[in-house]
Amino acid sequence: MPTTVPFFAPDITESDITACAEVLRSGWLTTGPCVREFEKAFASAVGARHAVAVNSCTAALHLALEALGLRPDQGVLVPTMTFAATAEVVRYFGAVPLLVDCDPVTGNLSLDAAAARLAQVRAGGWTPGRRVTDVVGIMPVHVGGLMLDMGEVRRFASRHGLWTVEDAAHALPAAWRPGPDAPWQRCGEDTADVTCYSFYANKTITTGEGGMAVTASAALAERMRLMSLHGLSHDAWNRYTGHGSWDYRIVAPGFKYNLTDIAAALGLRQLARAEAMRQARARIAAHYHQELAGEAGISLPPVDPDRVHAWHLFPIRVEGDPTGARRNAVIEMLRSAGVTCSVHWRPLHLHPYYQETFGYEPDDCPAATALFHGLVSLPIFSRMTGPQMDAVVAGVRAAVRTVRPVQV
Ligand SMILES: *Cc1c(COP(=O)(O)O)cnc(C)c1O
């Protein structure tokens, strides 16, 4: 039997299952003591002052922008190399995602491209089919778990009067430092005005569905907490935890984004193993680097001694065909060999909604367009076995040796 390798498999232990079963037996299923404990443990794990647990990273991003007061027709700098969620939350407000090109090596947002986009928009020289009254924020994404230099991002933001909301869906745990002699700073340790995490099924820790917003600002935390549960006054929260009275006050038209205690019980267990699971992925990444380093026609994701990499993804680049046909053929061959891969991502400016609504074209973000046509994310998850790793390496070797680069 050939070894099959799924793209991802969650790391769920018997003790994770027991923790959820205990909540089910307790009789208190929705937001309660486990959520509070999860928030506390999470804040301390990432070095944040306040943590607000919600039912997805998308919800966390939405609440962050709401708390920061995003208005219709304002512009927000959003990397084109990201998942749907980062930009769609900007659209929730009738605001405009100003898509920014990426660094050709890391895939992370390019600050040079961000500066150029900002200058274009502020000079009135470029409007994405819409009026943009002003540019108010920037939303960096740490692609695959490799952090941007958040010092540079925050200096850029403060120079231009922008807030920073970090989409850290891939970056738990992760850290950066400006150089070998500088102290490490964890993602979420005051790296942005608000930092948002995902606990979706295939993320680095999971609660099935879930998310967290962390911030150093008590005011932002309070607003996000309020809006996460129908805009009910703070006292009403106690009602949800079983200690409140029957009365409550609606102080804003909020949302329904609270996390359940069942999910939080799982989150607490997963959080305790987050670093061990990261180390397991780092070993897989090191194995891929060692085995695939000399392979012609592909390039491997960068490693940086000034980053603690979360290794949520292991994106390789298949070179030698700007149309993407060679990349597609490599993915197909791997699939036939039982190895499931993925692509992160088709950049936003190449999706019909953003093209039709704002007139984005492939050349608006040329580095991301070029990068996309070579991207393949290899399977990487903490429970991967030795034979599975070998199957991935053998599959990649066979595929890139069989599917020849096109002559251009
Ligand atoms: C998964 C993901 C999200 C959305 O997370 P949910 O918890 O599913 O809402 C947002 N941004 C990025 C970069 C992601 O990969």
Side-chain angles (χ1 to χ4, degrees):
M1 262 262 297
T3 307
T4 62
V5 191
F7 180 65
F8 184 82
D11 191 331
I12 303 291
T13 65
E14 281 308 311
S15 106
D16 290 347
I17 293 167
T18 305
C20 294
E22 275 168 15
V23 175
L24 292 170
R25 289 195 191 94
S26 79
W28 192 268
L29 307 187
T30 188
T31 309
C34 286
V35 169
R36 288 293 164 270
E37 196 184 333
F38 185 34
E39 288 176 339
K40 273 204 196 99
F42 196 92
S44 113
V46 302
R49 232 162 298 160
H50 307 279
V52 179
V54 287
N55 56 18
S56 73
C57 180
T58 309
L61 292 165
H62 184 194
L63 291 173
L65 302 193
E66 200 280 336
L68 286 159
L70 184 59
R71 311 289 310 156
D73 300 323
Q74 291 183 328
V76 178
L77 296 165
V78 174
T80 191
M81 251 318 162
T82 187
F83 182 58
T86 326
E88 84 193 14
V89 294
V90 173
R91 293 300 296 139
Y92 291 179
F93 297 86
V96 180
L98 303 166
L99 300 181
V100 175
D101 207 358
C102 65
D103 178 283
V105 176
T106 63
N108 281 334
L109 171 140
S110 152
L111 279 182
D112 289 342
R117 184 65 91 218
L118 184 72
Q120 272 177 323
V121 174
R122 285 197 171 155
W126 185 82
T127 53
R130 302 277 164 123
R131 183 172 63 103
V132 174
T133 54
D134 195 13
V135 184
V136 294
I138 184 166
M139 300 178 72
V141 177
H142 307 299
V143 179
L146 178 67
M147 286 189 75
L148 284 119
D149 181 326
M150 286 309 291
E152 275 180 11
V153 173
R154 295 213 78 177
R155 279 192 295 279
F156 174 86
S158 74
R159 193 158 59 240
H160 296 291
L162 310 174
W163 45 249
T164 307
V165 170
E166 218 175 0
D167 179 339
H170 298 185
L172 179 75
W176 76 284
R177 57 183 179 182
D181 301 321
W184 288 102
Q185 195 179 357
R186 285 167 284 179
C187 182
E189 191 174 7
D190 207 9
T191 37
D193 291 298
V194 183
T195 303
C196 302
Y197 302 87
S198 175
F199 313 135
Y200 180 68
N202 68 8
K203 293 293 174 19
T204 58
I205 74 167
T206 186
T207 62
E209 301 279 1
M212 191 77 76
V214 309
T215 177
S217 157
L220 289 176
E222 196 178 315
R223 178 70 184 180
M224 291 191 290
R225 191 178 297 289
L226 176 80
M227 296 306 280
S228 74
L229 189 65
H230 304 300
L232 305 186
S233 64
H234 189 71
D235 286 354
W237 264 97
N238 294 329
R239 179 170 160 269
Y240 267 74
T241 56
H243 306 300
S245 78
W246 56 269
D247 202 10
Y248 59 84
R249 297 287 186 278
I250 300 163
V251 298
F255 310 103
K256 184 65 171 72
Y257 283 162
N258 56 306
L259 190 72
T260 68
D261 257 27
I262 308 166
L266 180 54
L268 272 165
R269 298 302 171 119
Q270 291 266 311
L271 183 64
R273 299 206 309 285
E275 175 57 18
M277 293 192 289
R278 188 196 71 79
Q279 285 174 16
R281 293 189 302 276
R283 284 193 291 274
I284 297 162
H287 184 75
Y288 287 165
H289 270 115
Q290 188 185 313
E291 296 298 315
L292 296 171
E295 202 59 42
I298 58 171
S299 59
L300 304 180
V303 279
D304 184 336
D306 297 323
R307 297 292 183 275
V308 175
H309 200 315
W311 290 116
H312 169 57
L313 299 175
F314 193 92
I316 68 166
R317 232 143 301 162
V318 174
E319 293 155 351
D321 183 358
T323 71
R326 181 168 189 246
R327 182 275 309 273
N328 297 349
V330 165
I331 291 178
E332 239 358 271
M333 262 202 81
L334 278 156
R335 187 200 300 280
S336 314
V339 176
T340 308
C341 296
S342 190
V343 172
H344 296 85
W345 297 270
R346 171 182 286 276
L348 296 179
H349 74 286
L350 299 183
H351 282 278
Y353 173 74
Y354 290 98
Q355 295 192 327
E356 287 159 18
T357 310
F358 301 108
Y360 285 108
E361 296 188 23
D363 283 348
D364 283 329
C365 300
T369 300
L371 181 59
F372 164 61
H373 288 117
L375 284 175
V376 179
S377 297
L378 302 184
I380 184 164
F381 51 91
S382 52
R383 286 221 161 161
M384 188 178 255
T385 65
Q388 285 179 320
M389 275 190 263
D390 294 341
V392 174
V393 168
V396 170
R397 280 193 188 130
V400 300
R401 288 171 193 181
T402 308
V403 187
R404 305 306 309 163
V406 296
Q407 298 300 320
V408 281

